[in-house]
Amino acid sequence: MMCKVKKTYPLWGFLLSFPLWTVSCVDNKYDLDKDIDMTVNVGGEHLTIPAGSSDTAYLSKIIEVEEGDILQPDAATRVYHLTKKDDINVEPTTVKEVTIDETTTNLSSTEIVNATSSSNVEVSAPVTTSGDFEAKSNNIDEALKELGALYAKTPVDLNLKIDFTNTGDLSFTKVKANKLKIVFPDYIVFKAEEGIQGHELILDGQVLSEDGSSYSRTLKVEGYEFSKNPGSGEKPVDGTLTIVGEISMEGDVITSGISGSGTLSLVPTAVLGEMTINSVNGVIQPNIKAETTDIELNDLPDFLKDEETRLDISNPVILLRANNPLETPVEVDAVLTPMKDNAQIDGKEVKVGSGNGKTPVVLASGENVIALSRTGESSLEGVTSNVKVEDINNLLETIPDDIVVDLQPVVRNNEDYYTAKLGWSYEMPSSYEVDVPLSFEQGLNIVYNDSIQDLNKDLNDLDKVGLKNVKVILSVDNAIPLKLQLKAENVQIKDVYGNELSAVKKTIEEDKQYVAESTDGEKPATSELVLSLTSDDTAFLSKIDRICFKITAVPGTTTGVPLKDTQWLKITSIKLSVPGGVNVDLN
């Protein structure tokens, strides 16, 4: 409670200034104490006594803020803002690397020579053979929903080998390829090199064997490309990816220097080594975790912490700043819960995001500044997206001790392909900023405490004044755009020891309990408050030292006018009015 010293003027001296008694002589046979009633009435039907005025109470004094407090006036506009900013801890996001096991494809053996007792013979034979290609990977990260392409950390060797087997006593000197074509699955990505065209290796005039040797060729594989169109890529099943296809060979081979009898067969084999994948293009939905954030609303002025205070702010704003490192939008779902005295404020929880059935909150790739506001509009600089949250004022209607924010970023049902590094730690630096410009609305309720004190030094001599009723009349100029009310229960009458004078009955005149609001926050409105004090103790006025009062806001007609520290309230005059005058005992 704030107490301010008010200027008062001696009431007893004022009473003595009246010409109460004029006597030219006194008859000594009368005893004034016994024979004459020495009680004199002063003031007639109505006695009004000026008792002073108050200093101008600027909001900068009523609302005392210090450097570092979350309530501060804007340096340019002087409008009060509740501001709070801090980081949001989002755990780094990682999708595990994929390892594809080594795979061997055995093409069917093809007979190319069948000779009987021949000598130095040359034979041309067609070759048509194939074998099943199957590569498998287990423990695929669940974030990988569909794979359009996989790229190896380093190129992997694909070793093509052509062996030759013969029977009988057959011998030969040379086997040469004649437009022999080996076709690999079209999803294998080869490193560009001589002889490979797309997915076909052409061997023309190439010596495959000489004096019984084998042929080998190493190709470099950089990964797999299944599809560029979502919906037609490879989909892991229960964490297992199986890549199937075929390797085929067709064309002709010419075998020369044949002698003896028997058969000669061509036996192709392709071995693709183990491949570690560290880059994926596809439908990727990583699990992103954010720690629960606690927005503490501390260092508030008293009027905002009062149990009766209610805020109805026209457009409170919560900024969400985040850098999305992924090449895909990230949606944010959140549940914001206001807390007071370590308990949830019932019915005031606010949910945002499409996962909660609300407007989506989307973080595009790169820097984002999302403004969550009541109107869906914000004038704050740097905002990249505005999201309307109609019930956001629920968080502040009763000022909480803190707001618990349960934030869940999610890549939700994104069917578009994008590229992500596997095994990479994706950081998502994030922060929040609360910005609440205080403006007076229909639901706003603030409480202003003050007192008129040190009255006893002027009233203590009034024990000889007999009265049972006095009115305290306050004339008030109000440049604050808020209607105020003084209720009898919000007045305390105290003596010099700070004890409440409970025997003094307080009432407020029905039509004299309101302070009219300024319509623009600049031009003051003038009102009069009348507090009636009644007691059976006729000397009660002499015992009063302090009148403490609490003025509360009530719905008025002015809305949307911002609260500035330059607005003010002034009690221009304080008067004591005694109906019927007062009786003074001159004994």
Side-chain angles (χ1 to χ4, degrees):
M1 174 180 293
M2 293 179 291
C3 292
K4 300 181 180 175
V5 178
K6 308 300 179 183
K7 299 176 183 177
T8 57
Y9 299 98
L11 176 60
W12 183 240
F14 176 81
L15 291 175
L16 292 181
S17 67
F18 279 89
L20 302 180
W21 204 265
T22 302
V23 180
S24 59
C25 61
V26 177
D27 191 330
N28 61 11
K29 66 180 179 181
Y30 290 97
D31 186 337
L32 295 180
D33 291 337
K34 296 180 180 180
D35 301 311
I36 297 178
D37 184 358
M38 297 297 292
T39 300
V40 179
N41 180 270
V42 179
E45 294 184 358
H46 197 84
L47 175 65
T48 301
I49 308 160
S53 63
S54 75
D55 294 330
T56 300
Y58 288 98
L59 281 181
S60 59
K61 298 297 183 182
I62 297 174
I63 304 174
E64 297 180 358
V65 298
E66 298 179 359
E67 185 177 355
D69 289 354
I70 67 173
L71 181 66
Q72 294 289 339
D74 182 87
T77 65
R78 309 314 302 174
V79 174
Y80 279 104
H81 286 247
L82 278 173
T83 60
K84 176 78 174 183
K85 60 175 68 176
D86 207 343
D87 293 333
I88 298 173
N89 189 6
V90 180
E91 296 181 13
T93 301
T94 302
V95 180
K96 295 185 301 183
E97 289 184 341
V98 173
T99 299
I100 302 177
D101 298 336
E102 179 180 284
T103 181
T104 300
T105 301
N106 295 308
L107 282 72
S108 300
S109 174
T110 300
E111 185 179 281
I112 58 174
V113 175
N114 189 343
T116 57
S117 301
S118 54
S119 176
N120 199 26
V121 177
E122 183 177 274
V123 175
S124 177
V127 175
T128 302
T129 184
S130 64
D132 292 332
F133 176 88
E134 182 177 295
K136 183 172 288 188
S137 177
N138 298 311
N139 301 317
I140 298 291
D141 195 302
E142 62 180 8
L144 301 177
K145 305 301 182 183
E146 181 180 323
L147 304 174
L150 304 170
Y151 299 101
K153 182 182 295 185
T154 56
V156 176
D157 291 345
L158 187 154
N159 295 311
L160 174 67
K161 187 177 182 180
I162 302 176
D163 287 323
F164 296 90
T165 61
N166 61 9
T167 62
D169 61 352
L170 181 72
S171 64
F172 64 95
T173 58
K174 186 182 295 184
V175 177
K176 186 170 63 173
N178 180 32
K179 296 181 180 179
L180 185 64
K181 180 172 64 175
I182 299 97
V183 181
F184 298 95
D186 61 3
Y187 47 71
I188 296 178
V189 179
F190 290 98
K191 186 176 181 179
E193 60 179 274
E194 185 178 354
I196 187 84
Q197 299 177 5
H199 299 88
E200 297 179 354
L201 176 64
I202 306 298
L203 302 176
D204 190 17
Q206 179 71 46
V207 175
L208 303 179
S209 179
E210 197 166 18
D211 297 326
S213 65
S214 298
Y215 173 82
S216 64
R217 177 76 174 268
T218 298
L219 303 173
K220 294 292 186 179
V221 175
E222 295 182 324
Y224 299 89
E225 290 182 351
F226 306 113
S227 174
K228 294 183 178 180
N229 300 313
S232 56
E234 294 291 325
K235 296 181 179 180
V237 177
D238 297 328
T240 298
L241 174 66
T242 303
I243 305 169
V244 296
E246 180 184 79
I247 299 177
S248 65
M249 179 183 290
E250 62 180 19
D252 296 295
V253 294
I254 300 172
T255 305
S256 59
I258 299 171
S259 62
S261 61
T263 61
L264 179 64
S265 297
L266 179 149
V267 184
T269 303
V271 179
L272 179 59
E274 181 181 89
M275 184 184 296
T276 299
I277 302 296
N278 74 334
S279 179
V280 171
N281 183 263
V283 177
I284 309 168
Q285 297 175 7
N287 185 22
I288 307 172
K289 294 182 179 179
E291 291 185 5
T292 299
T293 299
D294 194 0
I295 302 176
E296 295 182 355
L297 300 178
N298 45 22
D299 299 322
L300 288 170
D302 290 342
F303 85 95
L304 286 178
K305 292 188 290 187
D306 194 284
E307 292 294 331
E308 294 184 32
T309 296
R310 297 294 181 270
L311 294 181
D312 187 4
I313 306 304
S314 58
N315 197 34
V317 179
I318 296 179
L319 291 182
L320 174 63
R321 301 178 185 272
N323 187 323
N324 176 13
L326 301 175
E327 295 179 7
T328 189
V330 174
E331 289 196 28
V332 176
D333 296 333
V335 178
L336 297 89
T337 306
M339 307 288 291
K340 199 168 186 67
D341 298 327
N342 296 317
Q344 179 178 341
I345 301 177
D346 291 338
K348 299 303 179 181
E349 184 180 76
V350 173
K351 297 181 179 181
V352 299
S354 61
N356 293 312
K358 306 292 184 178
T359 302
V361 179
V362 182
L363 303 178
S365 296
E367 292 288 344
N368 293 267
V369 182
I370 310 295
L372 309 177
S373 64
R374 192 174 190 176
T375 65
E377 298 178 352
S378 172
S379 60
L380 298 177
E381 293 184 3
V383 172
T384 59
S385 177
N386 283 286
V387 177
K388 187 175 184 178
V389 183
E390 293 182 346
D391 58 349
I392 197 170
N393 191 72
N394 284 358
L395 301 173
L396 302 165
E397 182 178 353
T398 298
I399 293 291
D401 299 327
D402 53 346
I403 300 173
V404 176
V405 182
D406 184 8
L407 200 67
Q408 182 56 62
V410 59
V411 179
R412 175 175 290 111
N413 300 325
N414 180 15
E415 301 302 328
D416 294 330
Y417 280 180
Y418 72 95
T419 299
K421 295 180 180 180
L422 303 185
W424 182 268
S425 182
Y426 283 98
E427 302 282 348
M428 186 178 288
S430 304
S431 63
Y432 71 84
E433 182 176 342
V434 177
D435 187 280
V436 182
L438 292 188
S439 62
F440 294 120
E441 302 296 331
Q442 291 289 345
L444 174 65
N445 182 24
I446 68 169
V447 177
Y448 169 54
N449 295 290
D450 207 341
S451 68
I452 304 170
Q453 59 182 358
D454 295 330
L455 295 173
N456 189 254
K457 65 182 181 180
D458 295 319
L459 301 179
N460 61 356
D461 290 334
L462 296 183
D463 54 342
K464 295 183 179 181
V465 177
L467 56 83
K468 293 185 177 182
N469 177 262
V470 66
K471 292 183 179 181
V472 181
I473 303 171
L474 307 176
S475 294
V476 183
D477 280 355
N478 181 22
I480 302 172
L482 185 67
K483 187 176 182 179
L484 305 171
Q485 181 181 21
L486 179 63
K487 299 179 182 179
E489 60 266 28
N490 290 335
V491 177
Q492 288 184 322
I493 310 300
K494 295 184 178 183
D495 61 19
V496 291
Y497 304 106
N499 299 316
E500 185 172 3
L501 299 175
S502 56
V504 178
K505 182 181 179 181
K506 302 155 295 186
T507 58
I508 306 291
E509 292 189 10
E510 184 66 27
D511 59 346
K512 296 293 184 178
Q513 58 179 314
Y514 294 107
V515 177
E517 70 271 35
S518 169
T519 58
D520 58 5
E522 301 291 338
K523 183 179 179 180
T526 300
S527 306
E528 189 175 78
L529 301 176
V530 178
L531 167 67
S532 293
L533 305 178
T534 305
S535 177
D536 292 333
D537 180 358
T538 58
F540 81 92
L541 192 60
S542 66
K543 300 175 182 179
I544 296 175
D545 182 61
R546 179 181 298 182
I547 301 176
C548 297
F549 55 87
K550 180 167 65 174
I551 297 178
T552 58
V554 293
T557 58
T558 301
T559 60
V561 179
L563 173 63
K564 301 181 180 181
D565 68 347
T566 54
Q567 293 161 351
W568 52 273
L569 179 75
K570 179 180 176 62
I571 300 176
T572 57
S573 71
I574 305 168
K575 294 182 288 187
L576 301 179
S577 176
V578 183
V582 297
N583 294 322
V584 180
D585 186 354
L586 298 181
N587 287 316

